């Protein structure tokens, strides 16, 4: 049956940064598709996500605490997890943004964004991916961005980090593909989450962004779920090294 192609029944998925926004929507969507969830977050206040998982038919999710501003701590937590649990699907979603012109961006802000978005993505993916390679199966889905393709406006560290995760996606797809591990990314368009609050609060920017989106609206976190299920599922069995835009047509413009 075609629906079976998209089932995540019997799979365990690790989703990072699932307390809110896109990660929370993906965790709930994965539960609805039958997956067991492991959530990695910087604090344990995950009640809303845990409730959404249950509402979508999921069981008790495991919670692992790690601050992505500290890649060494993230690597230690991910390595321990990879030893003790079989992780079939990894969603690298945790991410942050700092908006300031390049000349005013501090090195501390640069480092923070690179640590959370890139170095900690690496810190999770290396041990979890290595265990997938050993087992000969797995799917990694990293949340990239339109700024994996474009320069953006006054978000230099974010753009650099998102270009880098797209490159890492392709590098790992090449290396791990022969072992049966697929590595893909999603490039969400402009999605209505806390990440874009400042843009939506600026009437000029908000209208300029909306006017450029062929779909005529901002995306919602739920708009990303179908792509995330697809890339993790058997339906995408021959999809590897791809960065899939879910952007209402922004990049086609
Ligand atoms: N919204 C968009 O338009 C858009 C577009 C393209 C790509 N993205 C990407 O999508 C992903 C999710 O973002 P979102 O839009 O859903 O934004 P969000 O609502 O701000 O969610 C960000 C998530 O990342 C977690 N996170 C941030 N810093 C962390 C840290 N130091 N340690 C652990 N977790 C941390 C947050 O945890 P806490 O709740 O604990 O802070 C939260 O769960 C990010 O990678 C973002 O770059 C978003």
């Amino acid at each position: 049956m075609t629906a079976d192609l998209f089932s995540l029944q019997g799979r365990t998925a690790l989703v990072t940064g699932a307390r809110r926004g896109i990660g929370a929507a993906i965790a709930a969507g994965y539960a609805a598709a039958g997956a067991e969830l492991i959530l990695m977050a910087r604090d344990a206040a995950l009640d809303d996500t845990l409730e959404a998982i249950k509402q979508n038919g999921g069981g008790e999710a495991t919670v692992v605490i790690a601050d992505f501003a500290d890649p060494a701590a993230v690597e230690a937590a991910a390595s321990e997890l990879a030893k003790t649990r079989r992780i079939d699907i990894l969603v690298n979603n945790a991410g942050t943004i700092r908006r300031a012109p390049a000349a005013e961006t501090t090195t501390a802000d640069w480092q923070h964004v690179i640590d959370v978005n890139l170095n900690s993505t690496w810190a999770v993916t290396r041990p979890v991916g290595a265990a997938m390679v050993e087992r000969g199966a797995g799917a990694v889905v990293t949340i990239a961005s339109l700024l994996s393709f474009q320069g953006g406006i006054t978000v230099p560290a974010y753009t650099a980090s998102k270009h880098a995760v797209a490159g890492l996606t392709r590098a790992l797809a090449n290396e791990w593909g022969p072992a049966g591990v697929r590595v893909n990314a999603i490039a969400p368009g402009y999605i209505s989450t806390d990440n874009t609050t400042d843009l939506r609060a600026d009437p000029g920017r908000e209208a300029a962004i909306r006017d450029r989106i062929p779909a005529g609206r901002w995306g919602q976190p739920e708009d990303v779920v179908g792509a995330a299920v697809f890339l993790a599922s058997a339906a995408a069995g021959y999809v590897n090294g791809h960065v899939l835009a879910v952007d209402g047509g922004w990049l086609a413009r």
Side-chain angles (χ1 to χ4, degrees), residues 39-61:
L39 310 177
M40 196 181 266
R42 65 176 142 181
D43 71 47
L46 292 162
D47 290 358
D48 290 351
T49 305
L50 294 170
E51 183 55 31
I53 288 169
K54 281 199 185 133
Q55 295 286 329
N56 281 278
E60 207 65 51

Side-chain angles (χ1 to χ4, degrees), residues 16-24 40-43 45-46 66-70 74 92-97 99 112 116-117 120 142-147 158 161-162 186-196 199-200 218-219 221:
T16 70
R19 192 176 76 82
R20 55 196 165 114
I22 293 169
M40 196 181 266
R42 65 176 142 181
D43 71 47
L46 292 162
D67 186 343
F68 277 49
D70 183 352
V74 170
N92 289 310
N93 166 79
T96 194
I97 195 162
R99 298 178 193 278
H112 178 76
V116 174
N117 293 3
S120 284
T142 296
I143 306 302
S145 169
L146 296 178
L147 302 191
Y158 185 84
S161 72
K162 293 298 185 177
I186 294 171
Y190 285 86
I191 310 293
S192 189
T193 68
D194 293 341
N195 173 293
T196 53
L199 298 180
R200 284 176 290 111
W218 284 66

